[in-house]
Amino acid sequence: MFNFDVERFLNIQNGALSLQDEMNQAIDGIVEQGIDNVFFVGTGGAAILMFAAEYILKNNSTLPVYTEISSELMHMDHKHLTEKSLVILASLSGTTKETVEVASFCKEKGATTISLVGHGNTPLATMTDYTFVNFAEDDTSCESFYIQSYLIAFRLMYKRNELPEYHRFGEEMKQLPAALLKVKEATENRAAAFASKHKETPYHILSGTGVDWGQTYYYAMCILEEMQWIKTRPVHASDFFHGTLELVEEDTSIILLKGEDKSRTLTERVQRFAENYSKELTVFDTKDYELEGISSELRHLVSPIVLATLLERVSCHLEKERNHPLTTRRYYKKVPF
């Protein structure tokens, strides 16, 4: 595969999985002390990547769960954020200003805090009650954060007797890094072709739904916009027909991300429309990939991870075709704001 280190990828994702025992010990103690709710908190992409874990909890647990933006949470008078809250804070660098500040804010509220970071001995890592470190970089962080947030969500449900498949899922998750590697390999040629075809495309509509909505939003904003300076319109498949459809012309690029949960019918509706009115529809469907060792019950939950891993191949080839490094920024960490 182009510009890809297999060993590095597997080490990072297996590194996320290796945190399971330590995470379980922490979650078990927190649950035994008693919690009323869970908050996933972050800034930008780190918060968006928590949407999937929130969605899983909402659909499989009665434990109240919220995903909040770091800076906004500090300005809210959130009545559910109390000393009985568990707050999970994500920041790859461990230095994200707003997330460091909100960690202090949550501690003042008396909440129990967990940080998910890529580097230890950073401001966020040193100020939370529990810290989990797994080194990753931009091209590997999506899968790492997903895996870690899933391990936490699954354990919370297990402790509440809400996930009878817990032990089976745990064994299957160990197969995920190898399965993701095969997804990348299977996507390589298609990713290269997409990048070549769309290297000059100025605008894309991206649509997804359900557990995959966060990945749809993330790829549009954090990759295509931030890292490639391409204008996008991320729209939930349900909302596509309440505004965005009027922007569709025959040359409008539409990227549809299809997962396998119960909301799949909503993306199929977008697909039927787009096939009639645009000649530039691209569909990435997780059903097209085998995922050896992953049961059907787990497949529909891990589809955002599958989409993230295949879209990394698209990003890599866009970087090459557009001669625009994914690390290039105009404003972020360049000017004060």
Side-chain angles (χ1 to χ4, degrees):
M1 286 181 284
F2 173 70
N3 197 22
F4 183 75
D5 187 328
V6 171
E7 183 176 358
R8 172 174 165 271
F9 174 78
L10 292 175
N11 285 341
I12 289 170
Q13 308 318 323
N14 283 314
L17 287 165
S18 73
L19 296 170
Q20 183 171 17
D21 289 344
E22 187 181 351
M23 284 181 165
N24 287 352
Q25 185 176 0
I27 295 299
D28 291 357
I30 293 167
V31 171
E32 287 166 12
Q33 292 172 9
I35 56 171
D36 289 342
N37 51 50
V38 175
F39 282 73
F40 290 103
V41 180
T43 302
I48 297 168
L49 291 172
M50 301 295 108
F51 284 8
E54 178 198 36
Y55 187 88
I56 289 169
L57 283 167
K58 281 182 175 179
N59 280 274
N60 296 279
S61 176
T62 58
L63 180 65
V65 57
Y66 310 91
T67 299
E68 303 293 345
I69 299 169
S70 300
S71 55
E72 185 173 56
L73 183 59
M74 290 184 287
H75 291 281
M76 296 172 66
D77 188 16
H78 205 305
K79 300 303 183 185
H80 297 282
L81 179 61
T82 71
E83 71 279 357
K84 300 293 273 184
S85 297
L86 169 60
V87 181
I88 296 125
L89 302 124
S91 167
L92 183 61
S93 69
T95 63
T96 309
K97 178 182 177 182
E98 300 94 328
T99 306
V100 172
E101 290 175 353
V102 81
S104 177
F105 175 83
C106 292
K107 292 279 284 184
E108 290 174 5
K109 292 283 188 179
T112 300
T113 54
I114 290 175
S115 59
L116 308 178
V117 296
H119 305 274
N121 298 317
T122 53
L124 181 62
T126 57
M127 70 190 314
T128 50
D129 297 311
Y130 302 89
T131 301
F132 299 102
V133 181
N134 186 51
F135 170 78
E137 293 178 294
D138 285 341
D139 61 331
T140 53
S141 63
C142 284
E143 297 96 331
S144 176
F145 274 139
Y146 277 133
I147 288 170
Q148 292 175 71
S149 63
Y150 277 38
L151 293 178
I152 292 172
F154 288 169
R155 191 67 179 185
L156 286 168
M157 290 188 288
Y158 170 70
K159 294 298 290 184
R160 294 168 56 84
N161 298 313
E162 295 172 328
L163 189 64
E165 306 90 349
Y166 174 77
H167 292 294
R168 176 159 60 87
F169 281 5
E171 290 303 309
E172 291 179 11
M173 287 290 286
K174 296 175 184 178
Q175 310 302 313
L176 191 58
L180 294 176
L181 180 58
K182 290 184 178 180
V183 169
K184 288 182 181 293
E185 292 170 347
T187 308
E188 183 71 7
N189 290 340
R190 189 178 182 205
F194 177 91
S196 177
K197 179 179 180 180
H198 287 286
K199 61 186 177 183
E200 301 296 338
T201 300
Y203 168 74
H204 300 277
I205 295 173
L206 289 87
S207 192
T209 187
V211 72
D212 307 302
W213 164 238
Q215 182 58 38
T216 309
Y217 183 20
Y218 176 90
Y219 194 71
M221 185 177 82
C222 299
I223 308 299
L224 295 182
E225 290 185 346
E226 179 181 332
M227 298 185 181
Q228 283 296 294
W229 302 354
I230 299 172
K231 294 179 175 64
T232 70
R233 170 65 166 106
V235 58
H236 193 283
S238 292
D239 289 335
F240 185 94
F241 297 98
H242 299 276
T244 305
L245 81 168
E246 293 297 339
L247 298 177
V248 175
E249 300 177 86
E250 67 174 16
D251 62 346
T252 302
S253 173
I254 301 172
I255 302 173
L256 186 62
L257 304 183
K258 294 180 69 176
E260 300 173 46
D261 69 8
K262 293 179 180 178
S263 68
R264 181 180 170 90
T265 57
L266 302 178
T267 54
E268 290 174 337
R269 183 185 180 203
V270 174
Q271 183 171 351
R272 289 193 299 270
F273 176 88
E275 286 172 342
N276 284 320
Y277 297 103
S278 172
K279 295 180 180 178
E280 298 298 340
L281 171 65
T282 302
V283 180
F284 291 107
D285 189 342
T286 62
K287 274 193 173 183
D288 293 338
Y289 301 92
E290 182 181 358
L291 301 186
E292 183 178 352
I294 309 298
S295 65
S296 59
E297 293 86 355
L298 185 57
R299 279 187 67 105
H300 76 272
L301 300 180
V302 301
S303 58
I305 314 179
V306 175
L307 291 169
T309 215
L310 69 87
L311 288 169
E312 181 275 329
R313 291 288 78 210
V314 175
S315 305
C316 187
H317 286 281
L318 277 174
E319 176 183 50
K320 170 180 172 287
E321 292 291 341
R322 290 169 52 78
N323 192 28
H324 185 118
L326 294 165
T327 54
T328 300
R329 302 291 185 274
R330 184 183 285 127
Y331 305 114
Y332 185 64
K333 294 186 178 180
K334 297 287 187 181
V335 301
F337 52 82

